[in-house]
């Protein structure tokens, strides 16, 4: 799965990354659902362990073009985890108060504490994506933010946070289909925003901005993964598999009981 990880300093041309790729799918496995149930269970028990051990902090960043599947990942991948230890932080257009501070102010407050797993649905990366594409601040301001972001993430990592960043990579054609579904399917209409159509016209600008993000901010302590996301099942499985790997590598342990339990008798 490391082939999806962007190496520090690796230049990215998104045209070279196939959003339909499914080459890491376990050999011989046919039933996506079955495989997914298994890996979901594994993720659940690792999250339980994370919570019980109360030592590590996990930050998962989700970024994508509109309709890229951020909400779908949150629903499917974190389906069975214990809500007491998992939190989703969604970053919308900043409020006036948020805008009166530096761009990381609202972000830092949402970072995970010990034993906690936090999923960023959009993130500080919006401040070098939408902000850049729409010139919401001058270039001399946003271009410094890459360094600020790297320093911020280094701080979190040095203080015990594992950071995993996923870029959900869909094609422009796939986005067209997904937007069309939002028009056609009554249960999806609430998601339709005509603003998304305006953003679609800026697809190339967003692509360049994402390429810069991936190139400048994938570090050893906070790597980006480019997830082929045209197929939901592959996207969900791959993200789960990467998370399971990362959590296993922490070698977490259940805490020792406070006293010798063998001597305790419940009457
Ligand atoms: P959604 O995630 O679909 O609910 O949309 C949230 C909207 O907030 C998107 O259009 C984002 O581009 C926008 N947004 C998030 N963060 C920022 C930011 N820092 N500056 C400007 N717009 C933002
Ligand atoms: Mg939206």
């Amino acid at each position: 799965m490391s082939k999806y990880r962007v190496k520090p300093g690796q230049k990215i041309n998104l045209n070279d990354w196939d959003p339909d790729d499914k080459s890491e799918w376990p050999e011989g496995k046919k039933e996506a659902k079955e495989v997914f149930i298994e890996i979901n269970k594994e993720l659940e028990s690792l999250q339980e362990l994370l919570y019980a051990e109360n030592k590590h902090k996990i930050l998962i960043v989700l970024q994508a073009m509109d309709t890229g599947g951020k909400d779908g990942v949150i629903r499917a991948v974190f389906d069975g985890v214990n809500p007491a230890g998992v939190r989703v932080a969604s970053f919308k257009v900043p409020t006036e108060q948020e805008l009166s501070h530096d761009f990381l102010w609202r972000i830092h407050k949402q970072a995970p504490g010990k034993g906690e797993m936090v999923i960023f649905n959009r993130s500080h990366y919006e401040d070098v994506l939408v902000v850049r594409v729409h010139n919401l601040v001058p270039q001399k301001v946003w271009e410094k933010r890459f360094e600020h972001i790297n320093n911020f993430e280094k701080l979190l990592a040095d203080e015990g946070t594992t950071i995993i960043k996923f870029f959900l990579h869909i094609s422009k054609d796939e986005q067209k289909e997904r937007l069309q579904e939002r028009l056609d399917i009554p249960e999806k209409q609430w998601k339709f925003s005509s603003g998304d159509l305006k953003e679609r016209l800026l697809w190339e600008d967003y692509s360049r901005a994402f390429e810069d993000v991936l190139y400048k901010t994938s570090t050893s302590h906070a790597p980006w993964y480019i997830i082929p996301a045209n197929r939901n099942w592959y996207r969900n499985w791959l993200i789960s598999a990467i998370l399971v790997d990362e959590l296993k590598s922490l070698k977490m342990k259940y805490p020792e009981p406070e006293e010798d339990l063998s001597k305790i008798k419940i009457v």
Side-chain angles (χ1 to χ4, degrees):
M1 276 154 342
S2 61
K3 73 175 184 200
Y4 299 114
R5 192 195 300 128
V6 178
K7 292 171 199 74
Q10 183 181 355
K11 290 230 161 122
I12 299 297
N13 179 341
L14 285 173
N15 296 324
D16 299 337
W17 295 73
D18 178 10
D20 280 304
D21 174 72
K22 53 181 170 66
S23 54
E24 288 297 295
W25 185 243
E27 215 175 306
K29 294 276 187 183
K30 287 205 185 83
E31 282 293 321
K33 268 197 187 131
E34 260 170 49
V35 176
F36 196 61
I37 287 169
E38 261 168 53
I39 196 145
N40 242 344
K41 278 204 188 118
E42 226 178 331
L43 189 60
E44 274 171 53
S45 25
L46 283 161
Q47 186 263 324
E48 185 67 22
L49 189 52
L50 173 82
Y51 186 66
E53 194 189 38
N54 197 30
K55 178 176 162 193
H56 296 279
K57 318 163 196 189
I58 309 291
L59 175 59
I60 297 157
V61 173
L62 297 178
Q63 286 286 166
M65 297 283 197
D66 290 321
T67 76
K70 300 188 304 307
D71 297 330
V73 167
I74 293 168
R75 229 180 306 117
V77 174
F78 303 97
D79 183 29
V81 296
N82 178 358
V86 179
R87 183 158 57 82
V88 178
S90 297
F91 295 96
K92 308 278 182 182
V93 177
T95 63
E96 212 171 307
Q97 192 198 22
E98 287 168 343
L99 279 176
S100 78
H101 291 267
D102 68 86
F103 76 105
L104 291 172
W105 181 75
R106 66 171 183 163
I107 308 291
H108 203 162
K109 287 197 286 195
Q110 299 285 356
K114 283 180 181 170
E116 206 182 12
M117 185 184 275
V118 173
I119 303 139
F120 278 5
N121 182 358
R122 303 186 190 268
S123 65
H124 41 306
Y125 286 98
E126 292 293 321
D127 294 282
V128 285
L129 290 164
V130 63
V131 167
R132 169 180 179 171
V133 169
H134 286 281
N135 299 307
L136 299 181
V137 303
Q139 176 164 359
K140 69 176 195 324
V141 174
W142 63 252
E143 71 188 2
K144 287 194 187 131
R145 289 181 173 174
F146 295 106
E147 194 183 343
H148 293 308
I149 287 172
N150 286 337
N151 289 337
F152 168 63
E153 292 179 352
K154 181 79 165 64
L155 163 71
L156 296 185
D158 285 349
E159 301 270 329
T161 305
T162 299
I163 306 169
I164 311 156
K165 303 181 293 198
F166 296 110
F167 169 61
L168 313 180
H169 181 36
I170 57 166
S171 62
K172 200 175 175 190
D173 287 343
E174 181 65 27
Q175 188 191 55
K176 187 177 182 189
E177 280 178 33
R178 293 181 183 192
L179 286 169
Q180 191 63 49
E181 278 184 358
R182 290 183 181 183
L183 290 175
D184 298 342
I185 302 175
E187 292 74 26
K188 291 195 175 179
Q189 284 171 350
W190 67 275
K191 281 197 148 198
F192 184 81
S193 145
S194 50
D196 291 351
L197 300 184
K198 287 199 196 119
E199 298 310 290
R200 178 172 166 79
L201 299 175
L202 300 167
W203 181 275
E204 289 306 319
D205 292 353
Y206 273 105
S207 296
R208 301 294 86 74
F210 268 115
E211 286 170 348
D212 241 16
V213 160
L214 296 162
Y215 160 55
K216 290 182 177 165
T217 64
S218 196
T219 55
S220 54
H221 56 272
W224 275 107
Y225 288 87
I226 300 178
I227 303 294
N230 273 3
R231 291 182 176 84
N232 295 353
W233 60 267
Y234 189 69
R235 169 199 79 195
N236 293 343
W237 168 76
L238 186 58
I239 289 179
S240 307
I242 291 168
L243 290 177
V244 163
D245 258 21
E246 284 282 349
L247 289 170
K248 274 187 181 162
S249 75
L250 295 177
K251 309 250 178 288
M252 299 180 287
K253 285 194 189 74
Y254 280 101
E256 293 293 327
E258 283 170 20
E259 49 188 309
D260 184 357
L261 300 186
S262 66
K263 297 202 173 75
I264 295 179
K265 203 167 180 186
I266 299 171
V267 290

